Amino acid sequence: MGTILLVILVLALIGVLPTWNHSRSWGYGPTGITGLLVVVLIILLITGRL
């Protein structure tokens, strides 16, 4: 379950990068939020809480 969430969040992180045409006007906000979610999920996986 945790691995599936990690893969989905990594794909979301790639999708919100401001280099894509659809996300250029968004800025770095969505990337930062998604990156934070990935870091929290990795920490939870390492500590065994998820």
Side-chain angles (χ1 to χ4, degrees), residues 10-33:
V10 167
L11 289 175
L13 183 63
I14 292 170
V16 297
L17 286 174
T19 56
W20 300 97
N21 287 332
H22 69 277
S23 63
R24 282 207 177 132
S25 63
W26 297 350
Y28 288 100
T31 306
I33 294 169

